[in-house]
Amino acid sequence: EISREQKLKKLEIYIHIPFCAKKCDYCDFLSMRADEGTKREYVNGLIREIELSKDMMKWYQADTVFIGGGTPSILREDYIEKIMQTLKDNCELSENAEITIECNPGIVNLKKLETYKKSGINRISFGLQSANDSELRELGRIHDFAGFVESYKIARQAGFNNINVDIMSALPGQTPESYRDTLNKVIELNPEHISAYSLIVEDGTPMEEKVEQNLVTLPDEDTEREMYYLTREIALKNGYKRYEISNYAKPGYECRHNKGYWQRVEYLGFGLGAASLYQNKRYSNVSDLNEYIGLLLDGGKDEDYYGGMVYQDDVWDIQEDTLNILHGKISTLSNKDMMEEFMFLGLRITEGVSEKKFKMDFGRNIDAVYGEVIEKLEKQHLLERKEGRIKLTDRGVDISNYVMSEFLL
């Protein structure tokens, strides 16, 4: 007889906390500053959204949870505890679920981190970005390197044995030497996982303004490429394996949540603007904070639901279609959409895509759909094919955007 666990489908959960102490100059994420009252209302709304979604999760088992932002660690730790408890009450978490929270260096303390641990969170992701304080100031970060090291040590003290550190290359004023220094300092601390991204100057950010007014100088393309190779070389030498274009991990510590995105595992996003992929539909929650809170807390009549308030019809006059309004425009993916996603998301991971899984998912051989494209890219030494898998070569990784675009039907 198959167990209940085997019957349940795999699900990933993303929880968005949109608050920050200060918005960084390069950030175009949905994030903002807020007072304590707004944070409290938002958490109440989030809890309500999870409860309203209970039926959506009943045939699933959550294998990963990612609490991202903004800066989730800006919230009071009892709020995070309450969110985690609500998840456990409304959704089945797998026994060895990977549960990550993003933290900003400098705004965590031992009590906060021990509370996270106690609530079931087992992975911390620190946004360091650079070990060079002047580079951090240029990005508009509020911490310095010493503050990061302190926070990192406290996380170890609290018992976390799965820590990711985010770093960035191609920063204003950054040189290959200063980037190498960042890499070496991070590796010296021995985290289990390193995410290494290139700075992308997004439209409408203060960073874009600085670049346009020539207030900062960005490294040229060759220097950026040199930094990219440095990451691979230094990480590899120190026992980290690249398992995705921008992610490196020690054996057994790949981020399962990340891999799930690339492999099209279904996920539900809770919170402001959070995106979901559910039963071959994609949608995103409303992105206006007042609208989000208003929808879920019935015009803010919430006294103190956080304190365990009883629902009353007059207070919780929430119509059945709250979730429909909240989820905004839902787009159902066609077979063509799904095949494209299977390829251009799956090729991001170094193990590539499985020909067998393509056939299982779509009932067609991969060559019947993509034979010519694959052959062309193989001839250009951008893809390689072996043992039933298709993956990017090193050269293919270098120009991955071009390779992925070839799989749009």
Side-chain angles (χ1 to χ4, degrees):
E1 195 188 336
I2 60 168
S3 67
R4 172 172 163 75
E5 190 148 315
Q6 288 166 312
K7 279 181 202 164
L8 294 173
K9 290 174 77 178
K10 217 168 156 188
L11 182 71
E12 302 201 319
I13 288 173
Y14 175 77
I15 293 174
H16 187 59
I17 308 296
F19 308 118
C20 286
K22 171 189 176 291
K23 206 167 166 81
C24 299
D25 289 357
Y26 57 89
C27 175
D28 76 333
F29 287 155
L30 185 54
S31 61
M32 66 213 68
R33 295 173 69 163
D35 59 35
E36 209 44 56
T38 305
K39 289 174 190 167
R40 185 180 127 275
E41 278 200 318
Y42 180 78
V43 170
N44 291 342
L46 193 55
I47 284 167
R48 186 76 185 117
E49 185 191 353
I50 294 168
E51 290 173 341
L52 285 174
S53 308
K54 186 175 185 167
D55 277 356
M56 292 176 78
M57 299 187 276
K58 72 175 167 205
W59 302 113
Y60 291 86
Q61 186 177 55
D63 191 47
T64 71
V65 177
F66 196 101
I67 305 171
T71 307
S73 55
I74 203 167
L75 289 184
R76 279 169 30 184
E77 60 267 30
D78 56 326
Y79 286 2
I80 296 289
E81 210 171 13
K82 182 72 179 163
I83 291 166
M84 283 300 300
Q85 192 51 55
T86 307
L87 262 187
K88 290 172 195 166
D89 292 344
N90 291 278
C91 162
E92 191 162 323
L93 289 176
S94 72
E95 240 174 76
N96 67 336
E98 172 196 271
I99 305 174
T100 305
I101 187 166
E102 286 185 331
C103 294
N104 225 25
I107 54 172
V108 290
N109 54 38
L110 189 58
K111 180 173 177 256
K112 209 170 235 191
L113 289 163
E114 284 176 342
T115 304
Y116 294 168
K117 196 89 176 68
K118 205 169 77 218
S119 71
I121 294 169
N122 52 25
R123 185 173 182 272
I124 295 274
S125 179
F126 279 118
L128 165 64
Q129 315 320 352
S130 170
N132 180 305
D133 288 348
S134 68
E135 288 172 7
L136 288 173
R137 280 194 298 275
E138 206 58 82
L139 289 173
R141 302 291 289 175
I142 57 170
H143 65 273
D144 58 14
F145 183 61
F148 160 74
V149 173
E150 179 63 20
S151 298
Y152 183 92
K153 287 179 174 166
I154 295 171
R156 289 293 194 211
Q157 198 184 331
F160 283 94
N161 59 8
N162 191 354
I163 298 180
N164 167 58
V165 179
D166 279 349
I167 58 173
M168 290 174 96
S169 58
L171 303 179
Q174 193 178 45
T175 61
E177 291 68 42
S178 72
Y179 181 64
R180 182 192 286 274
D181 182 56
T182 288
L183 269 171
N184 286 332
K185 281 178 172 163
V186 168
I187 282 169
E188 211 174 299
L189 288 165
N190 205 21
E192 285 67 31
H193 190 285
I194 297 171
S195 294
Y197 300 103
S198 247
L199 173 68
I200 295 170
V201 179
E202 302 287 2
D203 292 346
T205 57
M207 182 60 77
E208 185 193 39
E209 214 171 292
K210 284 199 219 173
V211 172
E212 281 174 358
Q213 293 173 10
N214 291 323
L215 297 172
V216 296
T217 312
L218 295 174
D220 62 32
E221 217 174 294
D222 290 345
T223 310
E224 190 178 333
R225 181 66 41 214
E226 191 182 333
M227 291 178 191
Y228 171 78
Y229 289 134
L230 268 177
T231 317
R232 201 173 62 187
E233 175 201 321
I234 292 173
L236 213 68
K237 203 167 66 189
N238 287 279
Y240 294 86
K241 177 176 170 271
R242 189 178 72 197
Y243 68 94
E244 189 271 336
I245 288 176
S246 306
N247 287 283
Y248 298 79
K250 297 206 160 168
Y253 287 98
E254 290 97 347
C255 176
R256 280 160 39 200
H257 189 82
N258 269 351
K259 279 186 86 171
Y261 280 148
W262 310 132
Q263 292 169 330
R264 297 189 75 254
V265 174
E266 289 179 80
Y267 56 90
L268 283 178
F270 295 111
L272 190 69
S276 299
L277 169 65
Y278 180 76
Q279 296 180 352
N280 287 325
K281 293 180 173 66
R282 284 194 182 275
Y283 61 85
S284 292
N285 282 355
V286 297
S287 56
D288 179 280
L289 185 63
N290 293 330
E291 187 185 358
Y292 179 84
I293 291 172
L295 263 173
L296 289 156
L297 298 185
D298 186 33
K301 284 189 213 163
D302 153 47
E303 296 291 307
D304 190 4
Y305 171 55
Y306 178 72
M309 181 181 162
V310 181
Y311 299 163
Q312 291 160 347
D313 290 344
D314 59 333
V315 177
W316 295 109
D317 179 23
I318 294 191
Q319 301 136 349
E320 284 175 17
D321 63 359
T322 296
L323 284 181
N324 292 339
I325 303 169
L326 183 70
H327 294 162
K329 183 175 166 287
I330 296 179
S331 57
T332 303
L333 297 173
S334 66
N335 220 33
K336 169 182 163 298
D337 296 332
M338 289 188 275
M339 288 193 285
E340 289 175 347
E341 286 189 359
F342 183 96
M343 296 307 290
F344 68 69
L345 291 174
L347 284 170
R348 284 192 66 95
I349 40 185
T350 51
E351 64 195 47
V353 296
S354 155
E355 297 186 41
K356 189 174 160 192
K357 182 148 189 354
F358 187 94
K359 181 148 193 197
M360 270 167 55
D361 287 6
F362 306 112
R364 298 172 71 183
N365 276 335
I366 203 162
D367 282 326
V369 183
Y370 284 119
E372 281 178 29
V373 174
I374 292 167
E375 197 181 327
K376 174 180 135 183
L377 293 168
E378 272 187 297
K379 279 184 181 149
Q380 295 172 344
H381 306 294
L382 300 173
L383 279 187
E384 61 180 0
R385 191 174 198 166
K386 55 179 180 206
E387 291 159 14
R389 301 194 77 87
I390 296 165
K391 53 188 176 183
L392 294 174
T393 60
D394 282 347
R395 189 160 168 242
V397 172
D398 284 352
I399 51 169
S400 56
N401 287 348
Y402 159 71
V403 179
M404 312 302 190
S405 69
E406 289 289 294
F407 288 96
L408 297 173
L409 292 166

